[in-house]
Amino acid sequence: MQTAINRKLNFKKNAIFLILIPTFIYLIIFFIYPIYLSFKYSFTNISLYDISHYTYIGFSNYVDLFKSHGFQNSLYITLLFLLVSAIFGQMFLGSIIAYLLTITQKYFKLIVTTIILIAWATPQVTAGIMWYSTLSYIPTGTINFFLSSFGFKSINFLSTKTAIYSIMLANIWIGLGFSILIFLGGIQNINPSIIKASYMDGTKPFTRFFAIIFPLLKKSIITDLLLITLFTLGTFTLIYVLTAGGPAGSTNLLTIYQYHTAFSLFSLGFANAIGVIIILIAIVLSTIYLRFIKVE
Amino acid sequence: MENNPDIKPKSKLLTYIVIVIMIAAIVGGGVVYYYSTIHKSSTETISIAAPTYYSSSSTWENFVNNATKSWQAAHPNVKIKFIGPFGASSEGNYYTKLDLLTSSKSTAPSVMLEDMFYTATYQHEGILAPLNSYVNSSFFSNTYSSALGQMTVNGTHYGLPATVTDTLIYYNISLLQKAGVLSSGNTTWQPTNWTQIMNAAQKVNSTSTLAGVTPLNIYEGVRADEASSFTGFEGLLYGTGHGLYNFTNHKWYGNNPGLNETLHFYKTAFSKKYATSALSSTPYVTVGQYMQKGKLAIGIDGSWMYGYQWAPGAQNPINNFSKYIGVAKIPTINGGGNGFNTMVGGWGWAMYNNIPTSEKPLVASFMMALDNTSNQILVNEPHNGLAGGLPTAKSAVNNPGFSKLVPGASYLDTFYAKLLKYGSYRPPVSGYPTVSSALQTAMSDVVSGHESVSSALSAYDSTLVSSFGASHVQKMSGSSPSIQPSPAYSNYQSNKNIQTFFYGYFTDTSIFTYNYIFW
Amino acid sequence: MKITKILTYTVLTLLAAIFIVPFIWLIVESFSPVSDLGFVIPSHFTLAPFYKVLTNHEFINSIYEGLIQSFGGTLISVMFSIGPAYIFSRKKFKLRLYLLLSILFLTGFPVFSLLIPEYIFYIKISLYNTLIGDILFLGVLNVPIDIWILKNSFDQIPQSIERAAFMDGASSIKSLFYVFLPLALPIVSVLIILNFVVNWGNFYVPFILLSSNHLLPIAVEIYSFFGTFNVRYNELAAFSIIYTIPAIILYMFSQKYMIKALSGGIKG
């Protein structure tokens, strides 16, 4: 049936798919290949002292890793950090704050949103330095300065016990803006008549949020959860500048642990094994989230 | 289109375009500027590397240009370029970056400032050019052998020493007087064993009028990096008669009584609240200010502190320094051995071996100009790259500039210099950065109370084993608690020894062939 | 009802106040005549730290490096993203959903864990410590998210416009360039700004992939400055402000569009 003209038209129609090729080549060389490399090197004893000679040592990096206290500690801290900072702090609090913002006066909403967004827009290096000076105990940082001038006792926010909460706080501070924007957009998309109807019913505000609005935000929630968890899992700069993983490893997130293993202990094989574990966590989490999208 | 809230082309489009054009203009200007500064053609280029975490690269550039002004005038065709390496925020980091720079001819500097204790490692890798035939012998004979020896392998000189520093105790005189450590009117305190340091700290801690004063600072933890390993830990460790590295069988100590004693010192000091981790993990700047403001009584620190912090013209100058802050030697654990210990570090200029042989005499003459007696003094002056160090040229003391080194307290210079005879050195072995990092982890685990000394030591041991292989780590074998001259020091006495242990170390190791990266 | 309202306003005001606290040190210190890592109310305010920073050759160079690298990375990622985004938005084909999902996954990929293999890879192919290597990696990191944002925005441009062009006999490629792109220009400009800001704020890519002092962008320069022995914190603060303000302004400008595009979801 197809005539030559038709075939030519068909080709013309499909020629546009060639545009995909350069992009995919670029992605494969600089993005996908390093993913492969990190798996490959994780099975070797490659070291920074000599990167051209290494031998394959099977799973022994992983075995050593799961035996080491440092790694167990780091894994625990990372998961706790994800749970508190990303899921509770940014996603959950973020959705509530976004809802509260929608019921306030226009200019008030603008000012508060802007302040939260400024934090989000702050480059992480600056944020790390700022938070260090804000939380510092010795020398007296901003918070302790105000605490002591109001007659309260100074608090060491960066001690082995408290530093983990400090980095969660700093991370919520920098990430909240992103969630709020997503939720503000989501709430706008809700059919106003539904919210109006809930007012008519005389539903209490909190019930209204959890029973009516929260479920309608499902799409925003999943998008937000997916991106926020992955961003938080990859957090390095802010925490590295703020605590460098210390004191005594109490804020040693997997990323920082990986960096130290590679560039202080010079064990690149080990560091790649840590990297692979980060990647696997990311894959597991995103598969779970993506399943929700498919259901929809 | 009109129904679509996302796309509002007309008014906003213009704004975006303007912004994009602005950015493009800035970047374009930048590119022009960049190439005009970087790619000036000249017949020869001498590139210089120095650690920019000590001081900024503009400080280095200014120093190099000032120091070699007349040399550059005599060689108009030679361009001098300072290449960093930048982004090295700590000592360990500088070594890593320098290693990578020197791994390729195209990126290697012709002249590099390197930590003396790295000389043997670099020499073994073939990175360093022998200087005997290019530098006048009078230059070498004018250099203190304690410094020159560190840059000499088997009688061949691989570098021109520029500076040495050591570590010592600083104390706030009035705080110690108030605590009763010093009788009033007396300003000189010299502990002769560790217990006396601890007792003094205890007295400060229990003096009610001194509430809020931190009695003791000794660096610890990962954040303070080499300050914790070198300035803090090793200054004590080498006073136990033990070290980090066994030079006879070329193994790292996974455990020894010295490591144990030193960690116990840390544990006591921090658990009894004589020292606090919040201060001991901060940068030198804060510690200096704390002692100055009377918030810190005793601090184990480096001779560079004065030049960086307290000299006239430095960040926080102190007039009549000797009235407020005293200096003391760090005692050995029980006063045995030499009685005292200090960690000596130093830096020297070295030449990259793979530059064309025809260029070597030129580069050597540049290095001699850079490292002549008056420039050795200049580089050690406050504000300059190696502020607070001591020149290594014997003739420096007769130079009128010498008194400028420690302006306002020239007696300090003599004090620092006299310390050198108690000096110990870090093991000049390539694995040191790994060991240093493992030490920092052990320290902070003990100090935070997370781990007991013995479990921190076994974690230290297993880090070493996993990094170097079990055959390169020595477990505790018997005990030899008596104080002997520190092994690193005695090894430095004989260059032949250095040579032997290096070849021994490198020939029987598989992981650390530390070769170039060929590809 | 009234109590809820008062409570809402109080909570949000407090939140805004907390969000401002970290900036206090930065702003006060940058105008302070003396250097202090802690918070000290200075005796008087001065512009000297800004003057010192802006006359420092090294800092100026790092600002230029930051501009070149951020803008270079931006151009590359936008260039490589427009085509695929158009195809994902307009064409239906077999692997579409799978490719889209993998791109969504790359969007949130924990990039930091890739830097160490990338570092080894770069040393082996001599891209380590080169401007182009840094730009190529910065560029590739943004390609997935750019495709995603562009695709979602393209979805909102009505298909009827190209269909009209297509009826007139234009090929797909022609309709992309002549009909579609002009309509998409606003979102592309926003994306350029957004990419620029993301690259400007990126610290770890240049931190690990570069080492020569003349190549280091402003982000790394600030960190190195923070770590030196004799830090002058007031200059550090001034320099950080110079670094931060453009980022904040540009971010504010483009965030709205990004979120709209990001929350578009997948339309199978």
Side-chain angles (χ1 to χ4, degrees):
Chain A
M1 280 295 273
Q2 268 189 340
T3 62
I5 299 165
N6 247 338
R7 224 174 291 141
K8 203 180 165 195
L9 251 176
N10 219 3
F11 173 77
K12 257 191 161 180
K13 232 173 143 184
N14 290 328
I16 194 160
F17 284 100
L18 293 175
I19 292 183
L20 289 176
I21 292 172
T23 307
F24 279 100
I25 291 177
Y26 181 43
L27 279 174
I28 284 168
I29 294 179
F30 287 95
F31 211 137
I32 314 288
Y33 182 60
I35 299 180
Y36 158 75
L37 281 183
S38 74
F39 279 85
K40 178 184 147 188
Y41 288 136
S42 73
F43 296 108
T44 68
N45 64 355
I46 187 169
S47 145
L48 195 58
Y49 288 113
D50 178 6
I51 62 163
S52 45
H53 298 97
Y54 52 86
T55 48
Y56 287 89
I57 52 169
F59 278 91
S60 62
N61 278 338
Y62 291 95
V63 174
D64 289 351
L65 211 52
F66 279 100
K67 275 199 252 165
S68 106
H69 277 287
F71 177 75
Q72 289 166 7
N73 170 47
S74 182
L75 192 63
Y76 169 74
I77 288 171
T78 309
L79 294 178
L80 189 70
F81 184 67
L82 273 183
L83 189 74
V84 177
S85 175
I87 296 174
F88 178 75
Q90 291 175 55
M91 195 281 284
F92 195 66
L93 280 185
S95 62
I96 294 177
I97 291 167
Y99 169 68
L100 290 182
L101 280 171
T102 53
I103 58 172
T104 52
Q105 196 257 341
K106 194 179 152 198
Y107 292 102
F108 182 82
K109 177 185 163 189
L110 185 73
I111 292 170
V112 175
T113 319
T114 310
I115 289 172
I116 294 174
L117 287 184
I118 285 179
W120 178 51
T122 307
Q124 298 218 351
V125 176
T126 316
I129 295 171
M130 273 161 47
W131 274 101
Y132 185 86
S133 290
T134 304
L135 297 172
S136 177
Y137 178 59
I138 289 179
T140 310
T142 315
I143 295 181
N144 280 322
F145 176 86
F146 286 115
L147 281 182
S148 55
S149 51
F150 291 124
F152 294 101
K153 229 181 143 210
S154 290
I155 301 166
N156 185 357
F157 292 103
L158 296 172
S159 72
T160 42
K161 291 208 179 69
T162 52
I164 178 82
Y165 304 110
S166 297
I167 63 167
M168 285 168 182
L169 177 70
N171 197 55
I172 292 174
W173 178 85
I174 208 165
L176 195 64
F178 182 80
S179 299
I180 285 188
L181 277 179
I182 286 196
F183 287 120
L184 282 179
I187 292 173
Q188 259 170 24
N189 287 341
I190 297 175
N191 191 342
S193 59
I194 299 177
I195 300 176
K196 229 174 248 169
S198 72
Y199 277 101
M200 300 284 194
D201 293 350
T203 324
K204 288 204 170 95
F206 276 90
T207 329
R208 192 188 310 138
F209 178 72
F210 285 107
I212 299 167
I213 296 173
F214 203 73
L216 286 173
L217 287 175
K218 195 179 163 196
K219 207 170 88 180
S220 306
I221 289 169
I222 290 170
T223 316
D224 185 59
L225 258 185
L226 178 68
L227 294 171
I228 284 288
T229 351
L230 294 177
F231 289 159
T232 309
L233 186 63
T235 304
F236 171 77
T237 311
L238 176 67
I239 315 303
Y240 183 70
V241 176
L242 181 55
T243 65
S250 60
T251 58
N252 219 358
L253 298 177
L254 282 175
T255 45
I256 294 176
Y257 187 59
Q258 188 195 13
Y259 178 83
H260 275 305
T261 309
F263 294 102
S264 300
L265 297 179
F266 290 23
S267 313
L268 293 178
F270 235 74
N272 274 308
I274 300 167
V276 166
I277 285 168
I278 299 177
I279 294 172
L280 291 181
I281 295 176
I283 291 177
V284 169
L285 289 178
S286 28
T287 322
I288 295 173
Y289 295 142
L290 286 178
R291 184 142 292 178
F292 283 104
I293 293 189
K294 268 195 184 162
V295 169
E296 192 183 337
Chain B
M1 280 302 297
E2 284 72 24
N3 310 334
N4 193 329
D6 276 334
I7 317 286
K8 300 172 195 157
K10 277 158 206 152
S11 60
K12 296 229 167 169
L13 177 60
L14 201 66
T15 331
Y16 304 145
I17 291 176
V18 168
I19 287 184
V20 170
I21 290 175
M22 266 167 53
I23 294 173
I26 299 168
V27 177
V31 173
V32 173
Y33 163 87
Y34 175 76
Y35 281 98
S36 64
T37 52
I38 305 293
H39 294 276
K40 266 180 205 149
S41 64
S42 74
T43 47
E44 283 204 66
T45 304
I46 295 180
S47 51
I48 300 166
T52 42
Y53 67 91
Y54 257 135
S55 54
S56 70
S57 85
S58 58
T59 308
W60 278 111
E61 266 171 11
N62 291 342
F63 162 74
V64 169
N65 286 327
N66 284 338
T68 58
K69 204 175 275 168
S70 56
W71 189 90
Q72 289 192 41
H75 300 81
N77 289 335
V78 181
K79 185 179 155 49
I80 307 296
K81 193 171 108 186
F82 183 79
I83 60 164
F86 221 67
S89 55
S90 69
E91 207 157 342
N93 227 318
Y94 175 65
Y95 304 137
T96 314
K97 301 248 174 186
L98 196 59
D99 279 351
L100 286 160
L101 284 183
T102 50
S103 65
S104 152
K105 263 191 202 180
S106 59
T107 54
S110 3
V111 178
M112 55 201 141
L113 187 68
E114 59 155 35
D115 201 315
M116 287 173 174
F117 91 99
Y118 247 53
T119 306
T121 310
Y122 281 160
Q123 186 274 332
H124 179 80
E125 291 173 55
I127 287 172
L128 302 184
L131 300 175
N132 294 40
S133 48
Y134 304 114
V135 175
N136 308 335
S137 59
S138 64
F139 188 97
F140 294 122
S141 58
N142 185 34
T143 306
Y144 283 116
S145 54
S146 63
L148 187 63
Q150 292 192 64
M151 302 198 84
T152 304
V153 179
N154 228 6
T156 308
H157 304 303
Y158 286 96
L160 309 183
T163 185
V164 283
T165 54
D166 41 30
T167 61
L168 65 148
I169 296 174
Y170 292 98
Y171 55 89
N172 184 305
I173 292 169
S174 68
L175 291 181
L176 289 196
Q177 285 172 343
K178 280 178 197 156
V181 178
L182 288 173
S183 54
S184 58
N186 187 6
T187 59
T188 319
W189 179 59
Q190 177 56 66
T192 53
N193 56 45
W194 290 4
T195 317
Q196 290 182 10
I197 301 180
M198 215 54 111
N199 287 344
Q202 190 270 326
K203 277 185 182 169
V204 175
N205 203 35
S206 57
T207 305
S208 55
T209 50
L210 297 182
V213 170
T214 307
L216 175 69
N217 179 57
I218 175 162
Y219 294 105
E220 63 88 15
V222 178
R223 204 186 168 85
D225 205 6
E226 260 313 272
S228 12
S229 313
F230 176 78
T231 316
F233 194 88
E234 289 160 24
L236 294 174
L237 173 69
Y238 282 88
T240 64
H242 295 275
L244 293 170
Y245 188 71
N246 186 334
F247 290 91
T248 46
N249 62 9
H250 319 299
K251 290 181 179 185
W252 293 100
Y253 287 111
N255 193 345
N256 69 29
L259 291 166
N260 193 38
E261 290 286 356
T262 313
L263 281 177
H264 270 294
F265 182 92
Y266 269 85
K267 190 178 180 62
T268 314
F270 285 85
S271 65
K272 295 200 168 171
K273 311 269 186 230
Y274 300 159
T276 158
S277 168
L279 181 63
S280 296
S281 56
T282 53
Y284 293 104
V285 178
T286 308
V287 173
Q289 284 179 335
Y290 260 57
M291 179 158 286
Q292 180 170 5
K293 289 178 185 163
K295 292 183 188 171
L296 170 66
I298 304 164
I300 296 180
D301 227 306
S303 56
W304 52 82
M305 274 298 264
Y306 183 79
Y308 277 140
Q309 281 295 307
W310 300 320
Q315 279 207 45
N316 302 291
I318 303 180
N319 296 327
N320 293 324
F321 182 78
S322 61
K323 269 170 87 179
Y324 303 106
I325 293 179
V327 287
K329 301 186 273 280
I330 304 171
T332 57
I333 180 164
N334 51 18
N338 291 327
F340 302 100
N341 178 53
T342 183
M343 293 309 291
V344 176
W347 294 80
W349 300 101
M351 191 199 293
Y352 181 59
N353 199 20
N354 292 347
I355 56 175
T357 315
S358 56
E359 281 181 23
K360 282 183 181 172
L362 178 80
V363 176
S365 83
F366 173 77
M367 286 167 68
M368 282 163 69
L370 191 63
D371 201 44
N372 67 25
T373 306
S374 54
N375 285 335
Q376 280 192 24
I377 294 172
L378 183 66
V379 78
N380 286 307
E381 270 177 27
H383 317 304
N384 267 334
L386 299 170
L390 304 160
T392 61
K394 288 174 188 164
S395 59
V397 272
N398 306 325
N399 191 298
F402 189 70
S403 57
K404 273 197 242 160
L405 281 179
V406 188
S410 50
Y411 68 96
L412 277 180
D413 222 7
T414 327
F415 183 85
Y416 295 147
K418 280 188 176 165
L419 273 180
L420 291 175
K421 70 177 172 193
Y422 304 108
S424 307
Y425 309 96
R426 284 169 287 191
V429 178
S430 60
Y432 176 77
T434 307
V435 175
S436 168
S437 164
L439 264 187
Q440 291 157 21
T441 309
M443 270 183 261
S444 57
D445 282 344
V446 166
V447 160
S448 64
H450 277 184
E451 305 221 15
S452 67
V453 168
S454 61
S455 63
L457 265 178
S458 71
Y460 173 75
D461 179 71
S462 59
T463 305
L464 261 52
V465 168
S466 75
S467 301
F468 303 115
S471 58
H472 297 104
V473 178
Q474 180 178 354
K475 302 250 181 180
M476 181 147 60
S477 56
S479 62
S480 49
S482 68
I483 300 277
Q484 295 144 358
S486 86
Y489 184 69
S490 49
N491 264 293
Y492 268 106
Q493 308 304 307
S494 150
N495 294 320
K496 210 173 173 185
N497 275 355
I498 293 184
Q499 187 69 353
T500 328
F501 74 68
F502 259 95
Y503 281 117
Y505 181 70
F506 278 108
T507 43
D508 67 343
T509 178
S510 54
I511 315 171
F512 292 98
T513 34
Y514 210 132
N515 269 330
Y516 290 110
I517 301 141
F518 290 112
W519 64 88
Chain C
M1 189 67 211
K2 213 180 166 194
I3 295 169
T4 337
K5 204 140 211 184
I6 293 171
L7 205 71
T8 306
Y9 277 92
T10 327
V11 166
L12 290 178
T13 313
L14 245 136
L15 186 81
I18 291 171
F19 265 67
I20 292 175
V21 169
F23 288 101
I24 297 176
W25 174 84
L26 190 73
I27 293 165
V28 170
E29 184 66 18
S30 69
F31 293 105
S32 161
V34 288
S35 146
D36 206 305
L37 180 56
F39 181 77
V40 173
I41 294 175
S43 55
H44 63 279
F45 291 98
T46 166
L47 282 173
F50 284 93
Y51 176 77
K52 279 215 168 140
V53 164
L54 287 173
T55 49
N56 187 325
H57 164 80
E58 191 186 316
F59 291 158
I60 300 294
N61 185 57
S62 77
I63 293 175
Y64 277 122
E65 280 305 325
L67 287 172
I68 292 166
Q69 289 166 23
S70 315
F71 204 63
T74 302
L75 278 187
I76 290 184
S77 20
V78 172
M79 245 167 51
F80 279 99
S81 311
I82 292 179
Y86 176 77
I87 289 171
F88 284 127
S89 167
R90 289 298 191 263
K91 306 283 172 185
K92 303 265 180 244
F93 54 98
K94 246 191 195 164
L95 295 171
R96 183 172 175 277
L97 189 66
Y98 292 98
L99 285 176
L100 264 181
L101 284 178
S102 20
I103 283 172
L104 183 65
F105 174 64
L106 288 185
T107 299
F109 196 85
V111 172
F112 185 81
S113 60
L114 282 192
L115 270 162
I116 288 157
E118 192 85 23
Y119 170 87
I120 303 168
F121 175 53
Y122 267 31
I123 291 177
K124 294 204 170 178
I125 62 170
S126 294
L127 274 179
Y128 176 72
N129 197 21
T130 59
L131 191 61
I132 188 71
D134 181 61
I135 288 176
L136 280 172
F137 194 58
L138 282 174
V140 83
L141 293 183
N142 284 332
V143 167
I145 202 164
D146 285 2
I147 293 182
W148 194 246
I149 292 177
L150 283 176
K151 181 240 158 209
N152 279 339
S153 323
F154 289 175
D155 283 349
Q156 319 219 343
I157 298 179
Q159 291 215 13
S160 54
I161 294 171
E162 303 138 82
R163 215 166 280 147
F166 199 65
M167 293 289 188
D168 293 346
S171 71
S172 293
I173 293 176
K174 265 190 191 155
S175 73
L176 167 64
F177 278 103
Y178 294 110
V179 184
F180 187 78
L181 269 188
L183 291 176
L185 208 55
I187 185 68
V188 172
S189 330
V190 174
L191 197 65
I192 287 176
I193 295 173
L194 191 73
N195 272 262
F196 180 84
V197 178
V198 169
N199 291 340
W200 181 253
N202 194 316
F203 161 77
Y204 49 71
V205 170
F207 181 61
I208 292 178
L209 296 183
L210 298 175
S211 76
S212 290
N213 113 53
H214 66 270
L215 286 179
L216 286 201
I218 181 162
V220 184
E221 176 81 32
I222 285 181
Y223 178 72
S224 314
F225 192 31
F226 186 49
T228 49
F229 276 14
N230 48 350
V231 207
R232 293 187 186 271
Y233 290 105
N234 49 357
E235 289 172 30
L236 176 73
F239 198 37
S240 303
I241 285 186
I242 294 170
Y243 168 61
T244 306
I245 283 182
I248 290 179
I249 292 175
L250 291 177
Y251 230 123
M252 292 314 233
F253 198 77
S254 53
Q255 42 83 9
K256 193 164 74 184
Y257 295 86
M258 184 181 103
I259 295 306
K260 271 190 186 148
L262 269 183
S263 47
I266 300 180
K267 283 171 200 153

